[in-house]
Structures are given as structure tokens and as C-alpha cells.
Amino acid sequence: MANHMLNFDADRYLRIQSGAVGLADEIDALVRDALGSGVTNVVFAGAGGAGILMQPAASLLRERSTFPAQVTMPAELVVTGSATLGRDSLVVIPSLSGTTAESLAALDHAKSAGAQVVVLTANGDSPLARKADISLVNFAEDDTSCESFYVQSLLLALSVQAARGELEDHRAVVAELRRLPQLLLAAKSAFEPRARQLAEAIAADTWHIVTGAGNAWPEAFYYGMCILEEMQWIRTRPVHASDFFHGTLELVEPDVSVLLLKGEDATRPLAERVERFVSGLTDRLLVVDSADVALPGISPSTRGLVSPVVLAALLERVSAHVEALRDHPLTTRRYYRRVAY
């Protein structure tokens, strides 16, 4: 099925995403222990893209739980402090390498405040993993980390809800999530021709407006900043669909490219509003919609939760083709070594 996919190892992909879902019981246990020990709030403190990927989980808790949740930038947390950070806080720090300097500083800051620190990483022998109270390790690399981090943080948010009696069908939802790796692989395979078309359109333009709403918005932000800008040096303007009509709409002209990510949560009408507006002004509207993906066995409510995971899986295929079309490896950086990570 996947042998026609450009620069892709299906077995590796399944191992990594199955590993993320396989952490469900461990995550549930740590959440229940944390809440039982007096934790009353959770802080997601990831640097850069890893931090962006925590936003859907934090939003889920803000929308469906009374358990306080926030997303903070590690660099800002260290220099400004936080009145809500203390012994009753659970701090979640995602870092693929486990070596990010900003995240290490945030870990030290959080521990000095008495908070419990959980690290999500691909490297169990890294400084972050060694210094954390709890380290959840699932090997991944840049091309597979989005789905892995999305799933792990979603599992944590669901466990918080379940522990507080705010989610009756917790086991059923987790059971559905265990089906996701194989379904995502099938989705990638089916999307390959479309991925090539989207990549050709992206590679042909010098800049792109990238937008989405709800839990699709973090993936839009991430894709614009971390993939197209950092990894491909393509200029983008990520903007939330709610803000699109408060400024960015004036930039839309017949030759302007707009990449719209559509998810399946309650905010989908906000994305559809952008789609209606833009489609009348430019023929360079590119839409990636998680609702187009077949996910047999996944309920509508769970589909809404995993929309960013699905979008990330599809966009990885686009990135593989953009890389090839532009002869610009996704690993190439200009200034990486000049920045203190």
C-alpha cells in the first residue's frame, strides 16, 4: 500500500505512532497520581513547534473541563514567572531532542517552584529526560513527531477529564485512538496524488497565507512557521481564521496563495467562512480537510479530537514532495548553529 509513497517508511511510521498511543495507560496512571497528590492545574511549556502542538490538548481542557490549563512559552516563563505556577502544578514539556536550552531552563524554573514536571521526548537519555520527575519516551523524528506529540498530549487531557468525572467514555475513546496509526497510514497512501498537486502549488509561489480554526489552527501555525519557513525558507503569513477578517483579508488578491486547513470540531464554520470569502477572490486557494479522510471505526466525536493529527499526517506527504520539487532537504538550515538551543 505504501510502497508508492515518496521517501516514506511505512513500518517505521507504524512503530512510532503505535508507540505514542501505547503510552495511554502510563499517561493515565501519572495523571491520576498527580491529581491524587494535589495537582490542580496543568501548564504546557514547549518551545517552538513542540509547544504549538500542545495547544489542542490545552484548548480541550479549557472547553470541556474546569481543570485549569495553559500554554506558555518556556523562554517567557523563565523571565516573567507565573503566579499560578507552584506545588499544585503539573508542567508538561515536549522536546523531541530533549536538549532544548529554553526547555531546560523552564524545567529548572518549574522545579524550583515546586511543580511536578513531565517531559515528552524521543530521547530517554537526554538532559530533559534525566531531570524530569517523569519522562515519557517515544522515539520519533521531525517527519513523525507531530502526530506523536498531538496524541500524547490528547491522551493526557482525556485522562484529566476522566479522573475528574468529566469524561464517561474514556476507555472507548482510547480504544478508538489505538486504531489510529493504521488508519493514518492508509490516509497518507490515499492522499499521495493530492499531496503532489499541493506541493507543486506551494513550490510555485513565494509566499502563502496559512489559516485554520479551532484545533486545526495550531497545525496551520506549525506548518507555516516550522515547515515552510524553517525547513523550506518559504515566506508565510499564519493567521487564525477568527482573525482573518480583521486585517489579513485585505492581502487577498487573484495571485495570492491561501492554504486553508479544515478540521471537524465546533469551529469548522469559521474555516468555511474563510473558504467562501477567498474562493471568490483568488484561484490559488489550497484546502486540506480532515473530513475528506476515511477513518472507519472512529466516531464523529473522536474525529473532532484527532483532526490535527490527521492534518499533520497528510501535510507530511506534502512536505516530502515540496522537498523534492525544490531540491531543498527539510533538514537544511542557515542559522541553526548560530542560535543557542
Side-chain angles (χ1 to χ4, degrees), residues 165-206:
E166 298 168 332
L167 181 64
E168 295 181 358
D169 57 348
H170 182 222
R171 289 186 180 180
V173 175
V174 172
E176 290 183 63
L177 294 179
R178 293 188 192 278
R179 301 170 57 95
L180 202 55
Q182 193 69 54
L183 295 173
L184 291 175
L185 179 59
K188 282 174 170 285
S189 179
F191 191 70
E192 191 74 0
R194 174 65 174 150
R196 169 77 186 196
Q197 294 172 354
L198 288 168
E200 290 172 348
I202 289 172
D205 270 311
T206 58

Side-chain angles (χ1 to χ4, degrees), residues 8 25 33 47 50 68 169 185 202 207 210 219-220 262 282 305 324 340:
F8 185 74
D25 291 342
D33 287 347
D169 57 348
L185 179 59
I202 289 172
W207 77 285
V210 189
E219 182 59 24
K262 295 172 66 177
T282 179
L305 296 176

Side-chain angles (χ1 to χ4, degrees), residues 10-307:
D11 292 336
R12 169 178 168 271
Y13 183 77
L14 284 176
R15 283 196 305 272
I16 291 170
Q17 305 313 330
S18 297
V21 180
L23 291 169
D25 291 342
E26 188 174 350
I27 290 173
D28 193 54
L30 79 85
V31 165
R32 291 182 182 277
D33 287 347
L35 270 59
S37 69
V39 164
T40 61
N41 66 91
V42 61
V43 179
F44 294 95
I52 293 171
L53 300 176
M54 300 294 103
Q55 291 182 15
S59 295
L60 177 64
L61 288 173
R62 287 195 297 267
E63 295 163 7
R64 303 189 187 182
S65 174
T66 57
F67 192 79
Q70 61 175 305
V71 176
T72 186
M73 295 180 178
E76 286 199 0
L77 178 65
V78 172
V79 297
T80 65
S82 171
T84 62
L85 182 67
R87 296 186 181 278
D88 58 350
S89 300
L90 179 67
V91 178
V92 180
I93 301 178
S95 172
L96 191 64
S97 68
T99 62
T100 312
E102 295 158 319
S103 298
L104 281 163
L107 182 149
D108 291 338
H109 180 83
K111 295 197 77 169
S112 69
Q116 296 183 42
V117 178
V118 175
V119 165
L120 313 179
T121 184
N123 184 358
D125 191 36
S126 62
L128 274 170
R130 291 194 298 268
K131 297 180 75 171
D133 294 303
I134 298 174
S135 179
L136 298 175
V137 181
N138 183 50
F139 172 78
E141 293 179 296
D142 283 342
D143 60 333
T144 52
S145 62
C146 283
E147 297 98 311
S148 178
F149 279 147
Y150 275 141
V151 166
Q152 290 177 62
S153 56
L154 172 59
L155 287 168
L156 190 144
L158 293 172
S159 289
V160 169
Q161 289 183 273
R164 292 169 53 82
E166 298 168 332
L167 181 64
E168 295 181 358
D169 57 348
H170 182 222
R171 289 186 180 180
V173 175
V174 172
E176 290 183 63
L177 294 179
R178 293 188 192 278
R179 301 170 57 95
L180 202 55
Q182 193 69 54
L183 295 173
L184 291 175
L185 179 59
K188 282 174 170 285
S189 179
F191 191 70
E192 191 74 0
R194 174 65 174 150
R196 169 77 186 196
Q197 294 172 354
L198 288 168
E200 290 172 348
I202 289 172
D205 270 311
T206 58
W207 77 285
H208 307 268
I209 296 171
V210 189
T211 188
N215 62 15
W217 157 242
E219 182 59 24
F221 185 17
Y222 178 94
Y223 196 72
M225 184 178 79
C226 298
I227 307 300
L228 296 184
E229 291 183 352
E230 180 184 354
M231 298 183 182
Q232 286 294 302
W233 309 348
I234 294 174
R235 293 175 177 84
T236 70
R237 167 61 167 105
V239 58
H240 195 289
S242 294
D243 291 329
F244 189 91
F245 295 95
H246 298 275
T248 307
L249 81 168
E250 295 294 341
L251 299 179
V252 180
E253 297 176 336
D255 61 346
V256 170
S257 172
V258 179
L259 174 59
L260 171 64
L261 305 189
K262 295 172 66 177
E264 298 171 68
D265 66 3
T267 68
R268 184 176 174 88
L270 302 179
E272 292 174 334
R273 182 188 180 201
V274 171
E275 185 174 22
R276 289 193 299 271
F277 177 83
V278 171
S279 62
L281 297 174
T282 179
D283 59 359
R284 299 191 185 182
L285 171 62
L286 311 173
V287 179
V288 182
D289 189 349
S290 67
D292 292 338
V293 176
L295 296 175
I298 306 297
S299 64
S301 60
T302 301
R303 286 188 65 111
L305 296 176
V306 302
S307 291

